[in-house]
Amino acid sequence: MKGYVFHGPGRSAWEDVPDPAVKEPTDAIVRVGAVTICGTDLHILKGDVPEVRPGTVLGHEAVGEIMEVGSDVRTVRPGDRVLISCISTCGRCRFCREGMYGQCRGGGGWILGHLIDGTQAEYVRVPYADLSVHALPGALESEDAVLLADIFPTSYEVGVLNGHVHPGDTVAVVGAGPIGLAAIATARLFSPERIVAVDLAASRLEAARRLGADAVADAGEDPEQLVADLTDGLGADVVIEAVGVPESFELCTRMVRPGGHVANIGVHGKPATLHLEDLWIKNVTITTGLVDTHSTPTLLRMAAAGRLPTTDLVTHTFPLDDMEKAYDVFSRAADTGALKVVLGAPSHEDLAVPAA
C-alpha cells in the first residue's frame, strides 16, 4: 500500500509501505476513506516531536471502513464505517479508568502517527478498536466526520472545558487556525458575552468572524489593548492559546484577568517564559493538556444534528495520493488560505449506485 512516511526533519514522502496486519486480538484494520493533516504533523516534520522515528507513517485522524478485526473486538465488524480517534484507549489502566485516555499507560494514548504507523495511508492498524473507533451515523459525511477525530474534541476539551468558559465570559482565542476556530465554535455553546480572535492572517480572522467571533485583532497591532478596552481594563475571563510559540503563550498571560484561566492547546517546540513576577498575585489558572477524546460521542451526535460548523472549516480537498501536494498547501496556509485539508475518495453518499 501507499503511506506518507516521515524520514527525519524536513524529509517525508508518499511511498510504498507494508500492508498492516492484525497483531493483537484487540486490533482492527481500517481502509482509509478520508484523512486530514494536523498542525502537529507539521511540528513533527520540523523536528519538534523527537519521539517520532524515521520510517513512521504519519497521521492520527481518519474515517474509514473496517476490513478485519481481531478475535477480541466486539463493538465493530467488517463493513462498518467508523471514525478513528486520534487517541487510542486501553480502557484498563488507571488513567483510562479516570477518563484521561490521552495519558493511557496500557499501550494507548497518542500513538497513531507518533509511536506507531498512522492514518495517512491506504490502510491503518488501530489498536484497542472497541474503544478507539466510533461507528458513524449514516447522515454524517466523511469530510465532516474526520474533523471530530482531533480538532473538535481537542479544542472543546483542552480549550473550552479546561478554560472553564461560562455564560457571560469574555473569551480570547489566540490563533485562528483550525484548532482556534473549533475553539470559537465550541465556546459559543456556553453563551459567552463575547469572543475575541487574534491572528496574523486576515483570511483567518475573517474565518473567525464567520465561526462566531465578535471581535478580531491582528496579533501585530496590540490585541491586549483591544481586550482591555472591551473589558473595562480587567482582561479576558478565559484566554485560549492555539498557536504553540513562546510569543503567543506570553501574550495570553498578559491578556487574562485576575482570577481568569489560560488554557494552552498549542504544541510547543521551544521554551516559553512564565512571568511569575507578574502572575503570582493574580490568582490565574494555567492549564495544559493532551486531548482525551471523552467528548467524541457527544460531538458526533451534535455534528449529525447539524450543531457543529464542520463544513466551514474544510477549504481544500484532494485525492488520497495527492498527499504531498496537500501538505504543501496546508503548510503555506498564509498564502493558500488553507484551514483544514481533507484527502480521500468521495463520501458514501456520493457513490453511484448501479441500476437494478
Side-chain angles (χ1 to χ4, degrees), residues 178-245:
I179 287 287
L181 294 174
I184 290 168
T186 51
R188 291 186 67 201
L189 301 173
F190 291 83
S191 300
E193 180 181 359
R194 64 176 67 87
I195 299 174
V196 182
V198 179
D199 202 280
L200 287 168
S203 61
R204 291 194 164 189
L205 293 176
E206 180 56 35
R209 285 193 183 276
R210 294 198 304 270
L211 268 291
D214 302 286
V216 300
D218 187 302
E221 297 181 358
D222 200 6
E224 298 169 65
Q225 188 59 53
L226 173 63
V227 170
D229 290 344
L230 292 172
T231 60
D232 295 325
L234 289 179
D237 301 283
V238 182
V239 187
I240 297 174
E241 200 284 340
V243 182
V245 298

Side-chain angles (χ1 to χ4, degrees), residues 239-316:
V239 187
I240 297 174
E241 200 284 340
V243 182
V245 298
E247 295 80 7
S248 59
F249 174 79
E250 292 168 28
L251 172 64
C252 290
T253 63
R254 294 194 301 270
M255 289 200 301
V256 69
R257 69 163 172 82
H261 289 75
V262 175
N264 182 88
I265 306 176
V267 177
H268 290 265
K270 296 179 181 178
T273 301
L274 182 62
H275 288 283
L276 286 175
E277 74 278 12
D278 299 322
L279 294 170
W280 74 270
I281 201 170
K282 293 179 67 175
N283 294 28
V284 170
T285 299
I286 299 174
T287 56
T288 66
L290 175 65
V291 64
D292 294 312
T293 66
H294 60 74
S295 67
T296 301
T298 298
L299 294 172
L300 277 170
R301 293 195 302 272
M302 295 180 66
R307 302 297 187 185
L308 294 177
T310 50
T311 302
D312 295 339
L313 291 175
V314 178
T315 55
H316 296 75

Side-chain angles (χ1 to χ4, degrees), residues 2-355:
K2 295 284 190 181
Y4 194 68
V5 182
F6 172 70
H7 289 295
R11 296 184 293 119
S12 55
W14 178 253
E15 60 188 42
D16 290 326
V17 294
D19 291 345
V22 170
K23 294 182 179 180
E24 302 291 341
T26 53
D27 289 348
I29 305 300
V30 180
R31 181 173 65 190
V32 174
V35 66
T36 186
I37 301 170
C38 181
T40 303
D41 297 320
L42 299 183
H43 281 280
I44 292 171
L45 291 177
K46 289 194 298 183
D48 289 345
V49 190
E51 300 87 7
V52 181
R53 299 187 303 271
T56 301
V57 175
L58 296 182
H60 50 268
E61 308 161 84
V63 166
E65 179 184 349
I66 298 286
M67 304 303 293
E68 183 182 357
V69 296
S71 59
D72 285 353
V73 176
R74 297 289 182 267
T75 61
V76 292
R77 60 185 180 180
D80 286 350
R81 180 169 162 264
V82 296
L83 171 71
I84 300 172
S85 175
C86 65
I87 298 296
S88 302
T89 307
C90 83
R92 295 189 176 93
C93 73
R94 170 181 173 174
F95 289 117
C96 286
R97 287 176 178 270
E98 294 176 359
M100 296 174 61
Y101 309 135
Q103 305 302 321
C104 175
R105 292 297 184 266
W110 173 36
I111 56 175
L112 290 172
H114 180 207
L115 305 180
I116 66 173
D117 286 337
T119 58
Q120 290 170 6
E122 294 175 313
Y123 295 87
V124 59
R125 178 179 73 91
V126 182
Y128 303 116
D130 275 337
L131 297 171
S132 305
V133 301
H134 301 267
L136 286 177
L140 192 56
E141 298 289 351
S142 294
E143 73 173 31
D144 296 327
V146 74
L147 302 189
L148 302 179
D150 185 354
I151 68 163
F152 269 94
T154 294
S155 298
Y156 181 57
E157 295 174 20
V158 185
V160 175
L161 296 185
N162 278 4
H164 292 272
V165 175
H166 287 99
D169 279 352
T170 292
V171 179
V173 179
V174 178
I179 287 287
L181 294 174
I184 290 168
T186 51
R188 291 186 67 201
L189 301 173
F190 291 83
S191 300
E193 180 181 359
R194 64 176 67 87
I195 299 174
V196 182
V198 179
D199 202 280
L200 287 168
S203 61
R204 291 194 164 189
L205 293 176
E206 180 56 35
R209 285 193 183 276
R210 294 198 304 270
L211 268 291
D214 302 286
V216 300
D218 187 302
E221 297 181 358
D222 200 6
E224 298 169 65
Q225 188 59 53
L226 173 63
V227 170
D229 290 344
L230 292 172
T231 60
D232 295 325
L234 289 179
D237 301 283
V238 182
V239 187
I240 297 174
E241 200 284 340
V243 182
V245 298
E247 295 80 7
S248 59
F249 174 79
E250 292 168 28
L251 172 64
C252 290
T253 63
R254 294 194 301 270
M255 289 200 301
V256 69
R257 69 163 172 82
H261 289 75
V262 175
N264 182 88
I265 306 176
V267 177
H268 290 265
K270 296 179 181 178
T273 301
L274 182 62
H275 288 283
L276 286 175
E277 74 278 12
D278 299 322
L279 294 170
W280 74 270
I281 201 170
K282 293 179 67 175
N283 294 28
V284 170
T285 299
I286 299 174
T287 56
T288 66
L290 175 65
V291 64
D292 294 312
T293 66
H294 60 74
S295 67
T296 301
T298 298
L299 294 172
L300 277 170
R301 293 195 302 272
M302 295 180 66
R307 302 297 187 185
L308 294 177
T310 50
T311 302
D312 295 339
L313 291 175
V314 178
T315 55
H316 296 75
T317 57
F318 300 89
L320 189 60
D321 58 5
D322 269 357
M323 189 69 68
E324 292 177 352
K325 180 178 179 182
Y327 260 91
D328 176 64
V329 168
F330 185 63
S331 66
R332 296 186 298 108
D335 300 320
T336 63
L339 295 174
K340 288 299 281 185
V341 302
V342 174
L343 302 95
S347 71
H348 70 298
E349 298 291 341
D350 298 330
L351 298 178
V353 178

